[in-house]
Amino acid sequence: IPSEINPWKYYHKRGAVGQASLRQVNYSTSQQFYIITGAKVNASSLEGMEKKIQKKWFSVLRDSLAQPYAKEFLEYKEKGYKNKSSVLRDKLTKQAEAVMNERPVFHFSKEQIREYTTIGGAPTLDGYYTVFGEVIEGMNVIDSISMSHVDKNSRPVPDVKIIRAVLIDCPEGNQETPAE
């Protein structure tokens, strides 16, 4: 599933539903999701988070530009061609810098700052993962689930399953239908 990361519009406030990502750049898994139960955040800490998000974007962009050259990088490594590898890496870094210069610098909006400091959330996830929904009713149930016993991978034991979900705001052309 292609990632749809838009931290200016969809962000990790308390109650946000997000899609777990694969290691591959720009894709999310189709089976794992999370619901944010995060605590309130101090407004002064958000500025440092903005810089980390911007730095991560650059890294992800450079890595995505490098993917077509993965085989070449491996060959250079195996043959000990450090110079060729660093020349290619420098070229990709310059390409990533050019793209980043065209992209707006990330800053939390006034609304995001207000929500993160009053209701809470996980702003450190913004810009990294796709937010595709929001719990609008029943956060007490989510809080109860968050107190569940978890395994070594932080997954609830036993599994917690959603029996029914309803789409209440859908794109044009789609009908509102319950999902089971």
Side-chain angles (χ1 to χ4, degrees), residues 11 24 147 167 171:
Y11 49 95
Q24 299 158 323
M147 302 303 283
L167 181 63

Side-chain angles (χ1 to χ4, degrees), residues 8 17 19-20 28 34 45-47 52 57 72 102 107 109 119 130 148 150-151 155 161 169 172 174 178:
W8 290 279
V17 182
Q19 189 73 29
S28 295
Y34 53 85
S45 66
L46 292 173
E47 187 176 316
K52 286 181 182 177
W57 278 1
E72 227 174 306
E102 295 173 9
H107 292 289
S109 69
I119 67 166
T130 299
S148 299
V150 294
D151 65 16
R155 292 179 54 109
K161 297 180 180 181
D169 181 20
E172 281 188 37
N174 292 336

Side-chain angles (χ1 to χ4, degrees), residues 12-26:
H12 291 85
K13 65 183 177 183
R14 180 174 163 76
V17 182
Q19 189 73 29
S21 291
L22 297 171
R23 288 197 171 275
Q24 299 158 323
V25 179
N26 297 327

Side-chain angles (χ1 to χ4, degrees), residues 49-66:
M49 290 180 203
E50 290 172 339
K51 291 176 184 172
K52 286 181 182 177
I53 289 168
Q54 197 70 13
K55 185 176 179 181
K56 175 65 176 173
W57 278 1
F58 177 78
S59 175
V60 167
L61 177 60
R62 188 186 58 219
D63 291 350
S64 68
L65 290 171

